[in-house]
Amino acid sequence: MSSNREKNLQVLSDLVAIPSVSARREGLDVAAKYLRDVFRDAGAEVTYDDSFPAPFVLAKFLSNRPDAKTLVLYNHYDVQPEDPIALWETDPFTLTEKDGRLYGRGVADDKGHITARLEAVEDYLALHETLPVNVYFVVEGAEESGSEHFKDYLEKYAYEFENVDLVIWESGTVHGDDRLEVFGGNKGIITFTLSARTAAEDIHSSFAAVVDSAAWRLIDAIASLRGQDGEILIDGLYDTAREPNEREQALVRGGEVTPESLKRDFGLRRPLLTETTGEDFYDNLFFKSNLNIEGIQSGYQGPGVKTVTPASATAKLEIRLVPGQEPQDVFDKLVGQLKRNGFGDVEATLTLATPGYLSDMSAPRILSLVTLAEQLYQTVEVSPTSAGTGPMYWANKYIGASIAAVGLAYDGSQIHAPNENIRLSDYEHHVALVAALIADYSEKD
């Protein structure tokens, strides 16, 4: 076991104890300042910036080699809310070890990655005079809330990222006993609200035979944007989308997610959209956009009955974007489509915009990472992208290097859910992989 394990598990315990929930903007400065001090105590040069509600931390472990390249490790210290608290078997903000697992909010997403990676750096320095590569920790505090202002921080500190060779992202799953997932991209996203108002105030529902309802108006507007088979009916949506190549299409078919696993894991009660249309499941999941309703609010939602015709209705929606689709362009096309469909009175407000990103998984340093992983794990699954969203695009834009996501969570980690946990064995493997990646620079450069 690493000589730094006990110390770093204590750091992880301290981090888990800080309820740094970005949705509530709670504990963010406390977590960021704690990490600032931890990195400084470990010998890093640290920049702490609280220009925005979620502070930014840049910790630089510098090599003595004048020609050293730079390896960037991306992480975030914010977590999802602990709700529903009644379903937790342990205190969500107390790191608890049980049956070879560590439990606590953020232990998998993403505080465990921070301490495992720090441990790898400290382990290498314990055996060598200097690092063969500069190792930068880039840590944000709003990932769980759309990485608000992360772009601004990266733009501000872009001058720091010279000669960066690779960015290691914080996500990625160990499937089964020992099958590591490595992926190099994610979808972008726009989130937006649609609002309809049909009267100055709610009206008695007896007038519903002659008075239109804001709820129906909004429902009709949303329905006009999507076909019964799930197709997004927005003209020009894919005009600028980048088509996946044959290798990318082949790689996504080798992953863990299948139509059968989705049905089983989520207890689906409706056929998959691709089963209705006959379209390819993997192409749609990884390389097509979606239009999702996150929530609708209108009228009376309290106990009992209140017979009203709602005067206002609001919905929160999202469209996941593939590389090449520009967020503002997609939003403008959405607004234009609503007008053409006769819903120009429905107000659209853009709330979040992040482009999609794809790495070249044949980049030499990513291939080296995969080779190292194959020496530590039974199987390594490589994919060009995930179906989820994150700020990879901005990291690539301002850091200027390929990105590979590799992590220590496993299929049962319960990320974003009660009883979030990691296996200690996966933690140890992640420390070993990052340490091997650092050492690889000594071998090759």
Side-chain angles (χ1 to χ4, degrees):
M1 185 174 74
S2 161
S3 61
N4 294 293
R5 177 64 44 77
E6 184 176 351
K7 177 175 75 74
N8 282 292
L9 286 183
Q10 182 58 54
V11 172
L12 179 56
S13 178
D14 294 343
L15 277 174
V16 169
I18 302 171
S20 47
V21 180
S22 56
R24 301 195 296 253
R25 291 191 174 179
E26 175 186 346
L28 302 181
D29 58 335
V30 178
K33 288 176 181 176
Y34 178 76
L35 281 172
R36 174 197 63 190
D37 296 342
V38 165
F39 285 129
R40 282 179 179 167
D41 290 345
E45 293 184 5
V46 181
T47 298
Y48 173 89
D49 191 330
D50 59 359
S51 299
F52 301 101
F56 173 81
V57 179
L58 172 62
K60 301 188 297 183
F61 291 89
L62 300 176
S63 170
N64 290 342
R65 292 172 51 174
D67 60 341
K69 294 179 180 179
T70 298
L71 172 67
V72 171
L73 306 177
Y74 165 83
N75 290 101
H76 63 90
Y77 58 79
D78 64 313
V79 299
Q80 285 282 340
E82 66 277 19
D83 309 81
I85 188 70
L87 297 183
W88 282 84
E89 297 175 5
T90 63
D91 181 347
F93 297 113
T94 298
L95 185 68
T96 304
E97 183 176 350
K98 185 173 61 173
D99 300 327
R101 294 174 173 82
L102 296 174
Y103 290 81
R105 173 56 87 223
V107 70
D109 186 20
D110 160 49
K111 294 175 178 180
H113 289 92
I114 299 174
T115 59
R117 293 169 178 189
L118 176 59
E119 187 172 316
V121 173
E122 291 181 319
D123 284 354
Y124 189 92
L125 286 173
L127 298 173
H128 303 85
E129 181 180 346
T130 186
L131 294 167
V133 59
N134 302 315
V135 180
Y136 287 11
F137 284 78
V138 171
V139 192
E140 65 154 318
E143 195 274 344
E144 302 292 5
S145 297
S147 293
E148 184 180 16
H149 298 300
F150 182 54
K151 168 183 175 289
D152 301 304
Y153 282 126
L154 288 178
E155 185 175 18
K156 182 176 181 179
Y157 293 103
Y159 67 91
E160 294 275 14
F161 303 111
E162 295 183 1
N163 202 27
V164 176
D165 198 39
L166 180 66
V167 178
I168 297 295
W169 213 248
E170 50 82 22
S171 50
T173 302
V174 181
H175 299 295
D177 291 332
D178 207 27
R179 299 199 314 278
L180 179 69
E181 172 189 49
V182 180
F183 64 87
N186 52 34
K187 289 183 176 180
I189 194 171
I190 59 170
T191 64
F192 54 96
T193 59
L194 293 181
S195 301
R197 176 165 284 279
T198 53
E201 59 186 22
D202 289 351
I203 301 170
H204 195 287
S205 65
S206 62
F207 292 104
V210 293
V211 173
D212 199 7
S213 158
W216 279 116
R217 184 68 178 162
L218 182 61
I219 290 171
D220 289 343
I222 295 172
S224 77
L225 299 173
R226 182 181 183 269
Q228 290 294 318
D229 57 4
E231 180 187 4
I232 305 176
L233 305 178
I234 298 176
D235 292 343
L237 177 65
Y238 291 107
D239 282 353
T240 61
R242 174 190 176 281
E243 290 289 333
N245 59 40
E246 290 185 5
R247 181 170 183 269
E248 290 166 345
Q249 290 177 316
L251 284 173
V252 298
R253 284 161 172 77
E256 183 76 9
V257 178
T258 65
E260 292 72 25
S261 70
L262 277 185
K263 294 176 185 178
R264 178 188 67 246
D265 294 345
F266 296 110
L268 298 184
R269 301 181 181 183
R270 294 282 301 154
L272 296 173
L273 294 174
T274 48
E275 291 177 330
T276 302
T277 63
E279 294 175 296
D280 186 87
F281 170 84
Y282 296 99
D283 282 347
N284 279 27
L285 181 61
F286 292 101
F287 303 121
K288 292 290 182 68
S289 298
N290 64 359
L291 174 64
N292 180 54
I293 302 171
E294 299 173 351
I296 300 177
Q297 183 174 354
S298 183
Y300 179 69
Q301 301 294 329
V305 176
K306 185 179 182 183
T307 53
V308 295
T309 300
S312 64
T314 301
K316 293 180 179 291
L317 299 95
E318 66 185 49
I319 297 177
R320 302 272 171 165
L321 309 179
V322 297
Q325 291 176 312
E326 197 278 318
Q328 186 63 53
D329 178 62
V330 172
F331 180 71
D332 291 343
K333 288 174 177 174
L334 162 79
V335 173
Q337 192 68 53
L338 284 171
K339 290 179 180 178
R340 287 191 295 275
N341 294 349
F343 297 99
D345 58 305
V346 174
E347 181 180 357
T349 303
L350 183 65
T351 55
L352 176 67
T354 300
Y357 170 78
L358 273 180
S359 279
D360 177 5
M361 299 309 286
S362 63
R365 190 58 71 177
I366 292 181
L367 293 178
S368 293
L369 171 67
V370 172
T371 298
L372 292 170
E374 288 173 341
Q375 297 170 13
L376 292 167
Y377 294 84
Q378 184 177 11
T379 307
V380 178
E381 299 174 353
V382 180
S383 174
T385 189
S386 74
T389 293
M392 280 188 176
Y393 174 89
W394 300 120
N396 176 259
K397 177 179 175 66
Y398 292 108
I399 297 176
S402 295
I403 301 173
V406 59
L408 51 70
Y410 75 107
D411 293 323
S413 280
Q414 301 290 93
I415 291 175
H416 293 189
N419 304 309
E420 181 179 349
N421 72 95
I422 58 174
R423 298 179 297 204
L424 276 167
S425 58
D426 294 325
Y427 185 95
E428 293 167 355
H429 271 124
H430 195 71
V431 173
L433 178 59
V434 176
L437 180 60
I438 292 171
D440 194 54
Y441 281 86
S442 179
E443 297 291 331
K444 295 183 177 179
D445 299 316

